Amino acid sequence: MSETMLALLGFATIIMIIVLLLKNVTVPAIAFIGVSTVTALILVLTGTFTVKEMGGFIKAGVQGVHSTAALFIFSVLFFGIMTDVGMFDRIINALMKRVGHNVVGVALMTCIIAMIGHLDGGGASTFLITIPAMLPVYKRLKMRPTTLLLICVTAMGVMNLLPWGGPTMRTASVLEIESNVLWMRLMPMQIVGIGIALFTAVFWGFVEKKKGAGIDSGLAADDCGISGIAEEAGDHSDLVRPGMFWFNVCLTLFIIVCLIWLSVPSYYTFMLGCVIALLVNYPGARLQNKIIKSHAGPALMMASTILAAGVFLGVLEDSEIMNHMANVLASFIPQSMGRFLPLIIGVLSVPLTLMFCTDSYFYGLLPVLIGVGNKFGVDPVHIGIAMVVCRNCATFISPVVPATFLGVGLAGVEIKDHIRTSFFWIWGVSLVCMVAGLLLGVLSVS
């Protein structure tokens, strides 16, 4: 099969999955596995790859996401335990005494927490820090969890431009410059992006307020009712451990600090946290078994989705189909538009993010576009900056980024709803950052 045909097959695969997800035809795990299997069969039947090779690609893809799946299982269990013991209820009540029914204040707090949490550059850890802390507050004030995700991913996209962030380091390695040097050049765009992220929080806070959030929510300053999460799970009053509040707070803070600073796998950190939390709060195998079973459903559903996404990534990325897709896209750029290449890729970055994973985008598409730009005298750094800044805005709404499923799973939101809510807003944020880059001289078309 020719490279062009492989690229077309890749586009067809991604489009089919996105359509199935947005049309709510099936759950994500089935969509990823089913469509990817059909693609794999086509590749085998056409003699492009052998069954053994496709098996290797799928194995590599699943291995690439298995740590995220394990992270989700044990993070859900850990935060589920913290909900059962009543830790979040007391924290939420304390926060509510500060902000009361101030919906805009809660939205702004979400943005600031996400920015601070993303200083380590890890999408999974930021979701784990921000969403479990804020989701019960949103439910108390009747704010939509899709808004929580939108504010969170906007802040994360901006902060992901730090020099130790994955996309910035990848771009710098392709450009063969230091990531700090690249960051210094794009910093004005990041500063504008931070302002936009804060504006996003305030704007959507007012949107939620207009829709009735915070009004007649039944919240009083001394309200000690259970949180939305606990309400959904049923009456867990027999599981509350008020006497262990400060121990559980210290344990949670310890886990968060380890996520940011300790060089061990994140899933192991949560494994250890679960062990300590269960042994201290719920001694005895019978009670521990009950707690684990009560949180098994959500953990299994999202872990299966993440592993299924690994099958999809293995079929398309490890077979280098995504690289062929990048070459085809680059070939469509007209000669007369060559000098506008940074702007073209900036405008298209958000839609392309839904199709290309991080590695294929920066290691596959970026080198091809740099080669195209060289024919027109375009500065490679300008292409790299346009790609990394504009693409980063949409990183965590992409169905080909495993951390996205962690975020939607923690928030209890369908990925189709997350994409529908966030896509055009994030695209607008991306375009504003690009225009800011032009006005500030970071980008040019000369």
Side-chain angles (χ1 to χ4, degrees):
M1 191 179 292
S2 67
E3 291 186 2
T4 302
M5 292 302 296
L6 287 172
L8 292 176
L9 178 61
F11 285 121
T13 301
I14 293 173
I15 291 171
M16 180 57 69
I17 288 176
I18 292 175
V19 169
L20 290 174
L21 294 178
L22 294 180
K23 292 288 186 179
N24 206 26
V25 175
T26 184
V27 296
I30 295 176
F32 280 121
I33 295 174
V35 176
S36 299
T37 300
V38 172
T39 301
L41 285 173
I42 293 173
L43 292 172
V44 171
L45 293 175
T46 55
T48 307
F49 296 105
T50 65
V51 173
K52 184 178 181 180
E53 287 174 326
M54 288 309 306
F57 297 151
I58 292 171
K59 181 179 180 180
V62 173
Q63 285 179 338
V65 301
H66 77 272
S67 59
T68 303
L71 171 62
F72 189 86
I73 291 172
F74 288 97
S75 64
V76 165
L77 177 57
F78 178 80
F79 286 114
I81 295 169
M82 292 302 106
T83 299
D84 291 340
V85 299
M87 184 193 76
F88 286 121
D89 295 326
R90 288 184 60 177
I91 294 175
I92 292 161
N93 289 333
L95 288 174
M96 291 302 98
K97 287 179 182 178
R98 297 273 184 181
V99 300
H101 292 178
N102 189 342
V103 174
V104 177
V106 170
L108 194 58
M109 187 188 304
T110 303
C111 182
I112 293 171
I113 292 174
M115 285 183 176
I116 295 173
H118 206 63
L119 286 173
D120 68 337
S125 61
T126 306
F127 280 134
L128 290 166
I129 291 169
T130 309
I131 294 178
M134 298 307 299
L135 183 60
V137 181
Y138 275 64
K139 290 189 174 184
R140 284 281 187 91
L141 296 182
K142 299 179 181 177
M143 298 171 68
R144 294 171 297 176
T146 49
T147 299
L148 165 59
L149 275 175
L150 172 56
I151 295 171
C152 193
V153 299
T154 304
M156 292 165 65
V158 172
M159 295 305 292
N160 214 31
L161 294 170
L162 291 169
W164 52 86
T168 304
M169 289 194 294
R170 287 176 175 88
T171 304
S173 66
V174 173
L175 294 172
E176 297 182 348
I177 61 176
E178 293 291 331
S179 58
N180 280 344
V181 175
L182 177 62
W183 178 59
M184 291 298 292
R185 293 192 62 170
L186 60 80
M187 187 187 295
M189 297 174 72
Q190 184 180 29
I191 293 173
V192 171
I194 291 173
I196 297 172
L198 294 171
F199 169 78
T200 296
V202 173
F203 177 85
W204 283 92
F206 278 112
V207 169
E208 291 297 314
K209 188 175 181 180
K210 188 176 180 179
K211 288 183 175 292
I215 300 175
D216 298 326
S217 63
L219 177 67
D222 58 349
D223 181 22
C224 295
I226 60 177
S227 70
I229 293 176
E231 287 172 355
E232 290 181 357
D235 183 13
H236 285 174
S237 57
D238 59 322
L239 301 178
V240 176
R241 300 289 186 267
M244 302 300 297
F245 174 74
W246 287 111
F247 168 80
N248 288 314
V249 168
C250 291
L251 176 61
T252 302
L253 291 175
F254 172 74
I255 294 298
I256 292 173
V257 169
C258 289
L259 284 174
I260 298 173
W261 299 110
L262 200 61
S263 298
V264 298
S266 298
Y267 56 81
Y268 173 72
T269 302
F270 277 104
M271 285 178 176
L272 185 60
C274 289
V275 169
I276 298 173
L278 285 171
L279 287 175
V280 174
N281 290 289
Y282 304 111
R286 185 175 180 179
L287 190 53
Q288 291 166 1
N289 192 45
K290 176 183 176 181
I291 295 294
I292 293 172
K293 284 184 177 180
S294 69
H295 299 289
L300 179 60
M301 175 64 74
M302 194 48 57
S304 65
T305 300
I306 293 171
L307 293 172
V311 175
F312 162 75
L313 291 173
V315 171
L316 291 194
E317 185 181 6
D318 289 273
S319 65
E320 298 189 349
I321 287 179
M322 283 192 175
N323 289 338
H324 300 321
M325 292 165 63
N327 291 330
V328 167
L329 287 175
S331 68
F332 277 99
I333 299 173
Q335 294 287 320
S336 59
M337 299 293 288
R339 70 189 187 96
F340 297 105
L341 189 59
L343 301 188
I344 294 173
I345 193 60
V347 171
L348 297 177
S349 283
V350 171
L352 291 176
T353 304
L354 299 182
M355 298 186 178
F356 290 92
C357 67
T358 306
D359 284 334
S360 63
Y361 187 84
F362 290 106
Y363 292 137
L365 186 57
L366 178 55
V368 173
L369 292 177
I370 288 175
V372 174
N374 287 336
K375 299 177 182 178
F376 303 98
V378 179
D379 187 347
V381 175
H382 288 179
I383 297 175
I385 290 175
M387 289 186 71
V388 72
V389 174
C390 296
R391 190 263 183 198
N392 255 355
C393 294
T395 296
F396 300 106
I397 68 171
S398 173
V400 297
V401 174
T404 301
F405 292 98
L406 179 63
V408 297
L410 290 170
V413 173
E414 296 286 342
I415 189 168
K416 63 183 179 65
D417 296 326
H418 176 43
I419 294 174
R420 282 174 178 166
T421 302
S422 304
F423 180 80
F424 288 105
W425 182 270
I426 292 294
W427 201 355
V429 172
S430 173
L431 295 178
V432 172
C433 287
M434 185 183 69
V435 171
L438 285 171
L439 296 176
L440 296 172
V442 180
L443 298 175
S444 70
V445 294
S446 57

